[in-house]
């Protein structure tokens, strides 16, 4: 009818197969980054940008970028006006489309940076501006399947298979965040280092490695627990997601640590299974606020009890300062509770 506005066209939505391919290409992408991080830390006199590890990393980006551009081309219709081009981008894919040229520019900048300034091999890797631009754009790309699931209002209680692309997306993102917090990453400590760190003379007050481990536990705790609290707000999370998160984080983390922290990895994965059981029993959500907060505290507590238990079993002895290894899980639990309160301050009305 003349005078009536034309009905708004719905943006296209990516289907399950599209999101799964996106996240699997992201696996290639992420594995390349972790290989490169391993090389920076373990290959002496690394003085070239053109390495096999960079080849894996940038070829993963090229494949992921080509796939996303193919998705846009698939949705393009002849005759579309410039203002309609937004309609070729599936819901949730907008930030990834923005991130592709940012990543390409940062990659070129990284080449110039390494050529002019040299190759980083220490903590400076984690503060290089070009590396920070690369990791930020990577996270925008890798979180695409999670955004697709989040925007699907009909997805409330997905099965593990239905949630798999979003769960992998979340796990790889947590791994990348932890990688760039490597100076405070407790997952790379091996059992001997854990025992040694919290075995000191009380008259010394604890310093050096003890303070490093204590700070690392608190930072790592937030990176591991907040993603679970986040998705629990929106979904009834299927059994297995917490375990998957632990497996992905530790599979990539142990590689960077040169496989010296296997017992620590086992502890995190066992904790992931227990957290899945907690999630199944408590069913934390915005509507079940008490259970949500209990889950935040309990999940954090479980992670660090398993952390110290795996170290103690592997070494055959616990750290000598009892207050440290018994108190650290309680402090982590309080942080988990605090995060639950911050993420959902009041019950949904």
């Amino acid at each position: 009818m003349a005078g009536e506005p034309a009905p708004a066209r719905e943006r296209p939505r990516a289907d399950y197969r599209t999101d799964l391919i996106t996240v699997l290409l992201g696996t290639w992408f992420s594995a390349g980054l972790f290989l490169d991080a391993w090389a920076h830390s373990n290959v002496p006199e690394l003085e070239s940008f053109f390495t096999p590890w960079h080849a894996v990393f940038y070829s993963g980006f090229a494949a992921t970028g080509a796939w996303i551009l193919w998705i846009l081309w698939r949705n393009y219709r002849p005759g579309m006006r410039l203002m309609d081009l937004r309609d070729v981008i599936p819901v949730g894919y907008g930030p990834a489309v923005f991130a592709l040229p940012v990543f390409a520019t940062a990659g070129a900048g990284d080449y110039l940076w390494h050529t002019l300034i040299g190759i980083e091999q220490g903590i400076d890797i984690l503060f290089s501006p070009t590396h920070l631009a690369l990791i930020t754009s990577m996270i925008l790309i890798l979180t695409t399947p999670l955004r697709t699931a989040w925007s699907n209002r009909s997805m409330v209680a997905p099965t593990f298979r239905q949630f798999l692309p979003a769960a992998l997306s979340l796990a790889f993102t947590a791994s990348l965040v932890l990688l760039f917090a490597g100076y405070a990453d407790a997952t790379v400590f091996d059992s001997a280092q854990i025992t040694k760190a919290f075995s000191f003379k009380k008259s010394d007050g604890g310093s050096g490695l003890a303070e490093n481990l204590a700070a690392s536990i608190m930072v790592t705790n937030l990176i591991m627990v907040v993603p679970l609290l986040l998705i629990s707000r929106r979904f009834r999370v299927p059994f297995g997601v917490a375990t998957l998160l632990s497996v992905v984080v530790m599979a990539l983390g142990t590689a960077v640590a040169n496989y010296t922290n296997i017992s620590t990895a086992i502890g995190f994965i066992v904790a992931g299974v227990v957290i899945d059981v907690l999630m199944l029993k408590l069913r934390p959500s915005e509507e079940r606020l008490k259970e949500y907060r209990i889950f935040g505290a309990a999940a954090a507590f479980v992670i660090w009890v398993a952390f110290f238990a795996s170290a103690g079993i592997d070494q055959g002895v616990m750290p000598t300062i009892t207050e440290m290894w018994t108190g650290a899980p309680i402090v982590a639990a309080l942080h988990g509770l605090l995060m639950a309160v911050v993420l959902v301050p009041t019950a949904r009305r």
Side-chain angles (χ1 to χ4, degrees):
M1 184 180 295
E4 289 188 355
R9 285 193 299 182
E10 286 192 7
R11 296 261 308 277
R13 298 194 62 84
D15 58 18
Y16 179 84
R17 177 176 168 275
T18 299
D19 275 344
L20 188 60
I21 293 174
T22 300
V23 81
L24 290 178
L25 290 172
T27 306
W28 177 359
F29 201 8
S30 302
L33 178 62
F34 276 84
L35 279 172
D36 188 46
W38 173 86
H40 275 281
S41 302
N42 296 287
V43 177
E45 299 179 357
L46 185 67
E47 290 297 339
S48 172
F49 181 85
F50 297 99
T51 65
W53 309 287
H54 267 170
V56 176
F57 178 44
Y58 284 104
S59 62
F61 165 70
T64 307
W67 168 246
I68 291 175
L69 292 177
W70 164 249
I71 294 169
L72 304 188
W73 176 251
R74 204 170 53 183
N75 292 329
Y76 175 77
R77 297 288 178 269
M80 292 182 86
R81 298 172 299 173
L82 185 62
M83 62 185 299
D84 295 330
L85 291 181
R86 180 174 173 271
D87 293 340
V88 306
I89 303 173
V91 177
Y93 276 68
V97 173
F98 167 77
L100 289 178
V102 173
F103 184 96
T105 304
D110 196 42
Y111 168 71
L112 292 174
W113 186 274
H114 287 322
T115 302
L116 297 174
I117 297 180
I119 306 292
E120 302 91 353
Q121 289 193 300
I123 194 171
D124 46 347
I125 299 170
L126 307 175
F127 289 87
S128 164
T130 53
H131 287 176
L132 295 175
L134 288 169
I135 191 73
T136 303
S137 49
M138 265 188 89
I139 287 175
L140 287 176
I141 294 168
L142 287 171
T143 47
T144 298
L146 180 62
R147 286 192 296 272
T148 299
W150 198 283
S151 64
N152 184 357
R153 305 315 299 178
S154 66
M155 184 183 281
V156 176
T159 64
F160 182 82
R161 178 185 174 280
Q162 290 171 331
F163 200 65
L164 183 59
L168 286 171
S169 167
L170 189 75
F172 284 120
T173 301
S175 301
L176 295 182
V177 173
L178 198 54
L179 177 67
F180 269 70
Y183 41 83
D185 179 3
T187 69
V188 299
F189 279 72
D190 62 38
S191 59
Q193 290 172 323
I194 295 167
T195 305
K196 182 181 177 183
F198 283 175
S199 299
F200 52 82
K201 289 183 181 178
K202 286 195 173 184
S203 58
D204 293 340
S207 60
L209 192 57
E211 292 178 352
N212 185 5
L213 179 58
S216 297
I217 287 172
M218 299 313 153
V219 172
T220 306
N221 182 55
L222 297 181
I223 295 172
M224 295 295 288
V225 172
V226 167
L228 296 171
L229 286 170
L230 183 69
I231 56 175
S232 297
R233 286 182 53 191
R234 170 66 181 81
F235 305 99
R236 187 176 296 171
V237 181
F239 188 89
V241 169
T243 305
L244 179 69
L245 175 69
S246 299
V247 168
V248 170
V249 167
M250 294 314 305
L252 296 172
T254 51
V256 173
N258 224 7
Y259 303 101
T260 57
N261 58 341
I262 296 299
S263 63
T264 305
I266 293 171
F268 270 90
I269 293 169
V270 170
V273 175
V274 177
I275 292 171
D276 271 320
V277 174
L278 283 173
M279 204 174 286
L280 184 69
K281 297 295 183 185
L282 291 172
R283 292 186 289 119
S285 69
E286 287 185 347
E287 290 77 18
R288 295 167 59 83
L289 196 56
K290 181 177 72 175
E291 290 80 2
Y292 186 78
R293 292 174 177 175
I294 292 172
F295 173 74
F301 185 77
V302 163
I303 290 172
W304 301 106
V305 166
F307 178 79
F308 287 109
S310 63
I313 292 170
D314 190 52
Q315 291 293 302
V317 62
M318 297 302 288
T320 61
I321 304 301
T322 308
E323 293 90 335
M324 297 301 295
W325 62 268
T326 57
I330 296 173
V331 176
L334 292 172
H335 287 180
L337 174 62
L338 177 62
M339 287 301 101
V341 172
V342 169
L343 286 171
V344 186
T346 59
R348 177 184 257 183
R349 301 297 179 191

